[in-house]
Amino acid sequence: MLIVKMDVKKYFIAIVIPAPVFGRIEEIKQELFKQCNLKGALRSPSHITLHRPFEWKEAKEQELIEKLRAFEFGESFDIALKGFDFFEPRVIYINVVQQQLLYDLHEGLKRFAKKELGLLNEVNDLRGFHPHVTVAFRDLKKAVFYGLQENFKSRYFEGDFKYAGFSLLKFEKTWEELYFFKITAP
């Protein structure tokens, strides 16, 4: 009997921040890399996570894309970023200003992913949805965190953009945007 092992890859769904705001955030991540050798946040494009990482068989990747194309949330809306905040003792992020349509998008996508894709990890996440754009995490040590926290408390950041769709990202050596799902409504 021949056993064929299907390669499983990691994916997640997010709003990748568009230019020019994207470039400004990437500059902050590069600054943290140069200053503190923080590489973790550089492993993915600046984004707002809509569905946290999940595993999917790479051979069925096209099926995943086709199913996600069926998700309907055709409303464009403004997303504003303002200031820095923290998940102590390891994460520095840019705040996403609360916007009901962003919460509606997340909730709709979560229900869709459970029903159509069989993805339960987002449904079972007791932390809830806290939209943010990470600039430092995982490799940020506690001792360094508190020094950076003092610095970032007084730093200014503001930017905004229109939601135009979401992306499917895939992990190879870094997280890469695999497919962009553009909204279909005007």
Side-chain angles (χ1 to χ4, degrees), residues 80-133:
L81 309 176
K82 188 170 185 171
F84 294 93
D85 210 340
F86 316 92
F87 296 132
E88 289 192 34
R90 280 225 146 90
V91 180
I92 300 171
Y93 63 88
I94 297 170
N95 278 310
V96 175
V97 176
Q98 287 195 7
Q99 156 58 271
Q100 187 57 49
L101 287 172
L102 179 58
Y103 285 85
D104 294 347
L105 169 63
H106 172 261
E107 190 59 35
L109 185 60
K110 180 172 77 171
R111 282 193 311 270
F112 179 88
K114 178 182 178 186
K115 181 179 178 195
E116 301 298 326
L117 303 173
L119 300 176
L120 304 176
N121 67 342
E122 197 71 22
V123 174
N124 296 328
D125 188 352
L126 300 177
R127 296 172 294 183
F129 182 53
H130 185 100
H132 62 281
V133 181

Side-chain angles (χ1 to χ4, degrees):
M1 178 199 292
L2 178 65
I3 298 174
V4 178
K5 183 180 181 233
M6 304 270 288
D7 277 344
V8 173
K9 294 286 187 174
K10 287 197 169 223
Y11 299 85
F12 79 97
I13 302 167
I15 298 169
V16 175
I17 310 299
V21 179
F22 178 88
R24 293 175 46 220
I25 298 169
E26 291 296 309
E27 284 176 12
I28 294 166
K29 290 169 26 174
Q30 284 293 333
E31 171 193 330
L32 288 166
F33 171 68
K34 289 174 187 163
Q35 182 183 353
C36 304
N37 199 33
L38 299 177
K39 302 174 192 169
L42 289 170
R43 292 177 56 170
S44 62
S46 296
H47 66 276
I48 301 166
T49 301
L50 293 174
H51 196 291
R52 62 191 179 128
F54 58 91
E55 292 184 341
W56 194 268
K57 291 178 182 171
E58 190 173 30
K60 295 187 175 196
E61 189 174 90
Q62 197 56 43
E63 179 184 323
L64 174 62
I65 291 169
E66 291 305 318
K67 285 184 176 192
L68 282 170
R69 275 192 184 133
F71 175 69
E72 293 183 14
F73 190 91
E75 195 163 348
S76 182
F77 56 92
D78 292 324
I79 296 177
L81 309 176
K82 188 170 185 171
F84 294 93
D85 210 340
F86 316 92
F87 296 132
E88 289 192 34
R90 280 225 146 90
V91 180
I92 300 171
Y93 63 88
I94 297 170
N95 278 310
V96 175
V97 176
Q98 287 195 7
Q99 156 58 271
Q100 187 57 49
L101 287 172
L102 179 58
Y103 285 85
D104 294 347
L105 169 63
H106 172 261
E107 190 59 35
L109 185 60
K110 180 172 77 171
R111 282 193 311 270
F112 179 88
K114 178 182 178 186
K115 181 179 178 195
E116 301 298 326
L117 303 173
L119 300 176
L120 304 176
N121 67 342
E122 197 71 22
V123 174
N124 296 328
D125 188 352
L126 300 177
R127 296 172 294 183
F129 182 53
H130 185 100
H132 62 281
V133 181
T134 301
V135 295
F137 74 125
R138 192 164 291 168
D139 55 348
L140 178 55
K141 305 292 184 233
K142 284 183 187 180
V144 176
F145 171 84
Y146 291 107
L148 288 173
Q149 183 181 37
E150 284 306 309
N151 173 284
F152 275 87
K153 277 182 183 177
S154 61
R155 283 182 72 165
Y156 173 81
F157 187 92
E158 200 167 82
D160 58 81
F161 59 94
K162 268 221 180 299
Y163 169 73
F166 62 91
S167 298
L168 176 65
L169 292 98
K170 177 181 181 180
F171 187 75
E172 292 294 342
K173 293 181 181 173
T174 60
W175 287 101
E176 298 170 14
E177 188 174 24
L178 178 64
Y179 196 88
F180 178 69
F181 300 89
K182 184 176 168 99
I183 59 171
T184 54

